[in-house]
Amino acid sequence: MIELDRLKFRQTHDGRWMQGSTHTVEILNHKRRKQIVEKICNKLSSINFDTIVCSGISGLLVAPSVSERLNKNILIVRKDNEIKYSPFDYEGTPPSNYIIVDDLVSSGQTIQRILSLMREEIPSAKCVGFYSYLKDQCFYAEYRNEFQKTFQVPYI
């Protein structure tokens, strides 16, 4: 049985319960999101990069706040089958050195898409790392060396 305290992030300030997958709901809770953004900023503030690269809702829920606080650019990589209103596969500032920020890695498709697109479209850009802001739900949290072998990118 799951403890009620473990589910607290699902409850809003006015007592209602949020619906959705655990990792999405956790970041939709504005109090929890604020804590996550603070943690990301603390971790990334000492790393040399110019752009945060993200994809999908999970990245877009934190990337703008982090970029504002760290004074970094944002580049959004569109998902393969996403309905979009422009012909671009990515939008934002082309990076020199970038960090990918996402909630977690399960299949690896998102990170592979980002890395492939960056190599193809902006070959001079260097990925200096991947940061998972829900590490406890990320398979690679315990297997950093495996992550680096698989994706050729440091797991921050």
Side-chain angles (χ1 to χ4, degrees):
M1 185 169 169
I2 298 174
E3 296 176 29
L4 189 57
D5 282 344
R6 173 80 173 98
L7 299 175
K8 279 289 190 194
F9 66 85
R10 287 189 174 272
Q11 194 168 24
T12 64
H13 66 283
D14 60 359
R16 293 186 286 167
W17 291 89
M18 288 189 271
Q19 175 179 305
S21 65
T22 301
H23 64 280
T24 303
V25 171
E26 188 166 354
I27 198 68
L28 287 172
N29 179 308
H30 70 280
K31 289 180 183 177
R32 180 71 179 117
R33 185 172 56 251
K34 184 177 178 182
Q35 294 170 344
I36 289 169
V37 167
E38 181 73 27
K39 188 175 179 182
I40 295 169
C41 290
N42 288 338
K43 185 68 175 182
L44 300 184
S45 65
S46 63
I47 298 172
N48 183 24
F49 69 101
D50 58 26
T51 304
I52 297 167
V53 177
C54 66
S55 184
I57 292 170
S58 57
L60 285 170
L61 282 167
V62 298
S65 297
V66 173
S67 75
E68 288 170 9
R69 292 195 49 200
L70 297 179
N71 197 30
K72 304 294 181 182
N73 298 315
I74 299 175
L75 185 126
I76 303 160
V77 173
R78 300 295 191 156
K79 300 244 180 193
D80 273 330
N81 298 318
E82 183 177 345
I83 296 172
K84 48 191 175 183
Y85 301 99
S86 73
F88 305 108
D89 287 331
Y90 69 88
E91 296 187 50
T93 308
S96 295
N97 296 303
Y98 65 94
I99 287 183
I100 299 169
V101 174
D102 204 359
D103 53 0
L104 51 94
V105 177
S106 57
S107 71
Q109 287 180 343
T110 299
I111 192 168
Q112 287 290 24
R113 168 122 171 90
I114 291 170
L115 292 169
S116 294
L117 184 70
M118 292 292 97
R119 281 192 289 267
E120 182 181 311
E121 297 284 330
I122 312 167
S124 62
K126 181 179 184 221
C127 183
V128 297
F130 171 82
Y131 184 81
S132 167
Y133 62 79
L134 294 177
K135 287 186 185 341
D136 62 327
Q137 297 178 44
C138 184
F139 170 76
Y140 286 100
E142 296 179 28
Y143 305 100
R144 290 173 188 251
N145 291 336
E146 193 65 32
F147 180 91
Q148 193 155 344
K149 282 183 205 172
T150 302
F151 299 106
Q152 302 296 304
V153 172
Y155 184 95
I156 299 170

